[in-house]
Amino acid sequence: MSAIDPAPDYEVRVAEDPADREACFAVRKDVFVAEQRVPEDIEYDAYDADAVHVLAVRADGEALGTGRLLHGTAAAAKNGDGDPAVGSLGRLAVTASARGLGVGAALVRAVEDAARARGLTAVDLHAQTHALGFYERLGYAAYGPEFPDAGIPHRAMRRAL
């Protein structure tokens, strides 16, 4: 007899209300600003206002992770070829206590679902190079040279939807 993994005790949802958005920003501050030393003045940008933000929340209400989807002209400005049909996944962050629980993959899938709902044909992202394997396991392929972003090495990646 084999054990069946229980369902995760968190949900992933689109952050629609101000409290959810604040939770997204708090996770980003913990992960990017505090842990990775990204300057706070470049962590938050004008794209945040119109982006679709997703949030992973534990059953007790604790925020575990976040990500965002840029679409339309905002995404076209970020993706490799300026195509407005290609979304841009970014600001994916999972709290230290939630890593290894599948939260990151669930957030990526939620962003992809949001992209499909908007009629997008693919999703681009800029992955920190240490995370390339994570995104490859989710079907993303790297393209182009390595580049620095906030002093951290990155590669562009894409997945067709």
Side-chain angles (χ1 to χ4, degrees):
M1 182 153 91
S2 67
I4 296 174
D5 289 335
D9 69 344
Y10 63 87
E11 69 168 333
V12 177
R13 64 181 183 245
V14 172
E16 305 228 8
D17 64 43
D20 277 356
R21 282 189 170 234
E22 286 305 313
C24 291
F25 296 147
V27 169
R28 286 169 48 184
K29 187 171 185 173
D30 287 348
V31 173
F32 295 126
V33 178
E35 270 187 56
Q36 297 184 357
R37 306 282 189 242
V38 172
E40 194 164 0
D41 62 328
I42 66 171
E43 173 51 32
Y44 307 100
D45 59 26
Y47 295 118
D48 281 325
D50 295 321
V52 176
H53 298 269
V54 295
L55 176 66
V57 182
R58 198 167 60 194
D60 67 3
E62 181 182 340
L64 302 177
T66 188
R68 76 175 184 187
L69 170 69
L70 303 182
H71 50 90
T73 56
K78 291 269 212 186
N79 68 43
D81 50 12
D83 186 346
V86 176
S88 179
L89 185 160
R91 302 305 201 265
L92 187 75
V94 175
T95 62
S97 65
R99 293 179 192 145
L101 302 177
V103 174
L107 288 163
V108 170
R109 295 305 186 218
V111 166
E112 292 170 350
D113 289 346
R116 279 187 202 91
R118 285 158 180 77
L120 302 180
T121 59
V123 173
D124 259 23
L125 58 88
H126 294 163
Q128 293 181 9
T129 55
H130 72 83
L132 288 171
F134 166 78
Y135 289 110
E136 287 168 346
R137 287 188 295 277
L138 294 174
Y140 288 80
Y143 67 90
E146 186 176 295
F147 60 92
D149 187 1
I152 301 168
H154 284 69
R155 292 274 315 271
M157 301 186 86
R158 178 173 289 184
R159 179 174 187 252
L161 298 177

